[in-house]
Amino acid sequence: MQSYAALQEAGDPDDGGVLIHVVESSRARWNHIEDLDSFFSRMYRYHQRHGFSCMMLQVILDLFKFFFVIVLYTFLTNCINFPLLFGDEKLANSTKVTIGDVVYPAKECIARFSLFTWIGISTAALVWLLRLFRGIYYMFYYWDIKQFFNSALSVADCDLDNLTWHEVQTKIRAVQLEQQMCIHKKELTELDIYHRILRQQNYLVAMANKRLLQPRLQVPIIGEAVYWTRGLRYNMQLLLFSSPWSPFQNPWHLREEYKKPNLRHELANKFGRLVLWLALANLVLSPLIFFWQILYAFFSHAEILKREPGTLGIRTWSLYGRLYLRHFNELDHELQARLNRAHRPASRYLSAFNSPMVTIIANNFAFIFGAILAVLLVLTVYDEDVLAVEHILTTITVLGAGLAVCRALIPDETQAWCPETLLSNVLAHTHYLPDGWRGQAHTLRVRKEFQQLFQYRIVGLLEELLSPIITPYILWRHIYPRSLDIVDFFRNFTVSVVGVGDVCSFAQMDVRKHGNPEWQGAQGQTALDQYTQAEDGKTELSLVHFTLTNPCWRPPSEAQQFVQAVQRESSLIVPQSSGDYMLQVDLNDSSNYGAPVRMEGPSNTNNPSNMSLSTLYLHDRHFRQVGNRIVRRAEETTPLLLSH
């Protein structure tokens, strides 16, 4: 069993001591910032969310939206005379029903409130007040961030959109030399700043990579499915980092008892009890949360479903897909840009699969739905009184939705059947795909597994709706039995970095300590067992990605030699007729889906292509290293989630 390690960075021996630095009184407020994690994280959010005014406007509108949803639901359930609205009742002295007739007077409306309604209103008011106080609390913090941008960095809010995060980060490093925000190091590197912002995220990525965060459910008809939602992610962050009983004493320091092997069983029992209490709390609150989820989803999607019924049929990257595909030390906007580039190749890959029987049925039903819809539209144009017929608008809406679904099921006749090439294009941008998929891209098994990473929007919506009900079960059935493994993970894979604090050792991207020789070729110099090695080439690919994203960063000599070798050898690739990943891919297929994403760093136009080439080269080399040892049984429906 490994023990807790302390990592001292190489460099000036004076860096390890406390530096005393005198600054101007007007700037002394940013000298020696105790919680740099929160400070840098707020700076990142401030930049990505376009400054103080936009952030505060969003907070105000979120508060208003919460208030509006509660008021609208209360009004609809207690203040509308639905029998009169639907014509089941008639007015005594009038044949024309007005809005005032179907709305109860205020006193009568309030008198109709039930005990359940009053409890709901009281609970909602309490939650709204808590959100209001939280918004005011954060407003003061972000005002300080605004002053830092305006004064220390000399960046006005109106100029934020003209600066990339890489440029902001360069300014932060320059300010550190002048003001010593961190007094334990004279100079901050790019990796130090990333560690501060992504400390928790790196742990989650590593735990998912080592198969600790992988809840799997047996769903009728569908089979085994990965389950990872925002609600479950919030509970895991609360368990691991944010609660008073979590392993982390504060944002940057792991509790000392978690570093001692002799306390592992005691800590596992304590952690397990915390999981059970949290599962119980989720179970008690599940009806209220479930009700809110349904209410919010209805008001959020009802209008767009009526206007664009095919919206829920669009595919998006699942939350688990984002966790599985994320590099160590990869910021949100960097991940989003990469997945945007992978969206179109992924859609093309899945659309290449089609069932002849489903196609025949969809073609015929599309004809029937279209014919009926055309007749109703012609009649409506001829005489608008047709719209007064009961349920005619509902019929038109349902027919439109059915027609959109049928068209989505009909394949593109002009698309060639080349799944291996299509999946190669996906890999060039996602950087991670299980080795068991190689040569099997044409199979339904691989398609089914890939859909867990790239799912329909409606599937993600249903998962979020069911999250309040399923999360307590996941905590009890899947997280609680892994309590000892989680405790061991924090002890074995935590290192202390000078000027940064306790970080996940995988996030150091040390190819010698956590690399895999099968991904490093002949120069691989690690003899560690699989427990200490990152899976799926995560260490090697993360190192190359971080180096390309931050070209001014200087990794340790061994890491630098590895990156230079990969870039040199991948640049020598000559396209030829072959079945290899790296020789089939179209690197020009990098079109973005949705809103344009601002690229980062110097030479930003070449970074995605260079990373794609390096990715395909490393995957191909890994495949050649392992040869025929990669074997997947037919009954293994999710190879990327196999327990080690």
Side-chain angles (χ1 to χ4, degrees):
M1 185 63 64
Q2 293 186 348
S3 61
Y4 176 84
L7 179 66
Q8 299 291 335
E9 294 189 341
D12 190 337
D14 295 334
D15 287 354
V18 176
L19 301 175
I20 300 177
H21 185 71
V22 179
V23 299
E24 300 176 15
S25 59
S26 60
R27 297 185 175 185
R29 59 188 299 185
W30 295 300
N31 176 253
H32 185 200
I33 299 174
E34 182 178 5
D35 188 0
L36 277 174
D37 283 37
S38 299
F39 188 77
F40 286 155
S41 297
R42 292 188 184 111
M43 285 191 65
Y44 176 69
R45 286 193 291 269
Y46 190 88
H47 173 262
Q48 295 295 306
R49 297 179 185 178
H50 315 290
F52 185 81
S53 299
C54 290
M55 295 184 71
M56 291 305 103
L57 178 62
Q58 185 62 52
V59 170
I60 293 172
L61 292 180
D62 284 343
L63 288 169
F64 174 77
K65 187 163 58 176
F66 184 92
F67 173 79
F68 174 78
V69 168
I70 299 301
V71 171
L72 181 60
Y73 174 78
T74 305
F75 177 79
L76 292 176
T77 55
N78 295 278
C79 302
I80 300 295
N81 187 341
F82 285 102
L84 182 59
L85 178 65
F86 294 145
D88 297 333
E89 294 180 359
K90 302 296 182 181
L91 291 174
N93 301 321
S94 176
T95 58
K96 186 176 182 180
V97 178
T98 65
I99 294 179
D101 295 327
V102 299
V103 177
Y104 291 120
K107 291 184 178 180
E108 185 177 353
C109 178
I110 296 175
R112 291 170 57 86
F113 287 5
S114 64
L115 178 62
F116 176 79
T117 302
W118 284 113
I119 293 175
I121 291 175
S122 301
T123 304
L126 179 61
V127 173
W128 189 87
L129 288 174
L130 290 175
R131 295 181 64 169
L132 174 64
F133 292 144
R134 186 184 65 176
I136 296 174
Y137 174 78
Y138 284 125
M139 181 183 70
F140 288 102
Y141 276 109
Y142 282 108
W143 180 258
D144 186 63
I145 298 297
K146 172 182 170 62
Q147 299 303 312
F148 182 82
F149 267 92
N150 298 160
S151 301
L153 301 185
S154 300
V155 176
D157 283 10
C158 60
D159 294 329
L160 283 175
D161 290 339
N162 300 324
L163 293 175
T164 64
W165 174 252
H166 183 273
E167 293 169 324
V168 173
Q169 188 171 256
T170 302
K171 290 178 176 290
I172 294 173
R173 296 178 62 214
V175 170
Q176 162 65 16
L177 294 175
E178 176 188 352
Q179 301 191 29
Q180 292 299 304
M181 296 179 291
C182 174
I183 64 171
H184 299 288
K185 293 188 70 174
K186 180 179 180 180
E187 183 177 353
L188 290 178
T189 67
E190 292 90 343
L191 186 59
D192 293 336
I193 297 175
Y194 273 71
H195 276 332
R196 291 284 192 176
I197 298 174
L198 296 170
R199 192 189 306 269
Q200 297 181 13
Q201 189 64 51
N202 281 331
Y203 272 104
L204 293 178
V205 171
M207 294 174 78
N209 181 257
K210 296 303 292 183
R211 299 5 182 195
L212 275 178
L213 295 182
Q214 51 191 8
R216 290 175 289 170
L217 298 175
Q218 289 294 335
V219 182
I221 301 177
I222 298 177
E224 192 174 62
V226 187
Y227 191 77
W228 183 252
T229 62
R230 290 181 176 85
L232 183 57
R233 181 180 62 186
Y234 173 77
N235 277 273
M236 291 307 302
Q237 289 175 329
L238 192 65
L239 273 172
L240 301 176
F241 308 107
S242 305
S243 72
W245 307 278
S246 67
F248 269 79
Q249 182 176 344
N250 54 47
W252 62 89
H253 182 63
L254 186 71
R255 297 182 187 276
E256 291 299 324
E257 56 265 31
Y258 275 84
K259 305 171 186 178
K260 301 176 181 178
N262 60 311
L263 297 178
R264 56 194 295 264
H265 289 286
E266 179 183 344
L267 291 171
N269 292 332
K270 180 180 177 181
F271 184 82
R273 288 194 297 270
L274 178 60
V275 173
L276 293 179
W277 277 112
L278 188 61
L280 180 61
N282 275 269
L283 184 63
V284 172
L285 296 175
S286 60
L288 182 63
I289 301 175
F290 180 64
F291 175 74
W292 169 254
Q293 293 272 58
I294 293 178
L295 198 63
Y296 188 81
F298 174 78
F299 288 131
S300 298
H301 296 88
E303 188 276 333
I304 195 171
L305 281 178
K306 180 181 180 299
R307 178 166 45 88
E308 299 180 31
T311 301
L312 294 181
I314 297 175
R315 290 189 179 273
T316 59
W317 296 100
S318 67
L319 281 182
Y320 183 80
R322 291 173 178 272
L323 188 64
Y324 171 75
L325 298 174
R326 190 167 195 154
H327 292 296
F328 294 123
N329 303 306
E330 184 174 28
L331 293 169
D332 290 342
H333 73 280
E334 297 168 352
L335 173 65
Q336 188 61 46
R338 190 159 55 83
L339 296 184
N340 282 352
R341 292 192 295 272
H343 192 285
R344 185 166 295 178
S347 298
R348 289 175 179 172
Y349 169 70
L350 288 178
S351 63
F353 289 85
N354 62 82
S355 168
M357 184 174 296
V358 171
T359 302
I360 294 172
I361 295 174
N363 270 312
N364 285 273
F365 272 92
F367 174 80
I368 295 172
F369 291 157
I372 299 174
L373 183 61
V375 171
L376 292 178
L377 291 177
V378 170
L379 291 175
T380 302
V381 172
Y382 178 76
D383 189 348
E384 63 181 14
D385 290 338
V386 174
L387 295 175
V389 177
E390 188 176 19
H391 300 313
I392 193 67
L393 287 177
T394 303
T395 303
I396 292 175
T397 302
V398 171
L399 288 173
L403 183 61
V405 171
C406 290
R407 287 176 176 172
L409 295 175
I410 299 174
D412 183 3
E413 296 179 355
T414 64
Q415 181 167 315
W417 172 250
C418 47
E420 289 294 337
T421 300
L422 293 172
L423 194 59
S424 299
N425 290 330
V426 176
L427 176 64
H429 303 297
T430 61
H431 303 168
Y432 297 100
L433 288 179
D435 291 308
W437 292 2
R438 191 179 185 119
Q440 302 293 315
H442 62 286
T443 63
L444 292 178
R445 174 183 67 85
V446 172
R447 178 200 181 190
K448 180 180 178 181
E449 294 165 7
F450 185 72
Q451 285 176 326
Q452 296 187 14
L453 303 178
F454 194 59
Q455 62 186 193
Y456 285 115
R457 182 173 293 176
I458 190 173
V459 175
L461 178 61
L462 291 175
E463 288 180 348
E464 292 297 337
L465 288 177
L466 296 176
S467 181
I469 299 174
I470 300 179
T471 294
Y473 172 79
I474 294 292
L475 292 173
W476 166 62
R477 189 66 181 84
H478 293 269
I479 304 302
Y480 174 72
R482 309 301 297 271
S483 297
L484 183 59
D485 294 330
I486 292 173
V487 170
D488 287 341
F489 182 90
F490 276 103
R491 183 183 67 259
N492 294 329
F493 300 119
T494 296
V495 295
S496 180
V497 179
V498 174
V500 177
D502 293 333
V503 300
C504 180
S505 61
F506 286 104
Q508 289 294 111
M509 302 176 295
D510 187 340
V511 291
R512 187 178 183 87
K513 182 177 181 181
H514 292 305
N516 188 328
E518 294 175 351
W519 285 86
Q520 298 175 27
Q523 69 266 36
Q525 298 294 325
T526 177
L528 299 176
D529 58 16
Q530 187 179 3
Y531 180 68
T532 58
Q533 295 171 353
E535 309 295 332
D536 307 316
K538 182 75 77 172
T539 300
E540 291 78 9
L541 287 165
S542 296
L543 175 61
V544 176
H545 178 267
F546 189 83
T547 304
L548 287 173
T549 306
N550 300 274
C552 296
W553 178 67
R554 292 293 174 261
S557 58
E558 291 183 359
Q560 190 167 15
Q561 292 173 9
F562 169 77
V563 173
Q564 290 173 347
V566 169
Q567 292 178 332
R568 180 177 60 255
E569 294 169 17
S570 63
S571 65
L572 299 177
I573 295 176
V574 179
Q576 53 183 289
S577 177
S578 172
D580 293 338
Y581 271 153
M582 64 178 183
L583 302 179
Q584 286 187 355
V585 68
D586 178 12
L587 295 179
N588 294 321
D589 189 5
S590 59
S591 51
N592 286 342
Y593 178 84
V597 179
R598 181 175 53 194
M599 299 301 295
E600 293 285 335
S603 304
N604 50 35
T605 56
N606 295 326
N607 282 348
S609 296
N610 291 339
M611 186 62 208
S612 295
L613 277 175
S614 300
T615 296
L616 297 170
Y617 169 74
L618 283 172
H619 274 271
D620 185 76
R621 188 169 71 181
H622 170 64
F623 180 77
R624 297 177 189 277
Q625 284 281 108
V626 299
N628 296 323
R629 281 182 288 160
I630 299 177
V631 179
R632 290 292 186 263
R633 301 189 302 272
E635 63 269 24
E636 292 176 356
T637 59
T638 319
L640 63 97
L641 296 179
L642 291 175
S643 299
H644 92 81

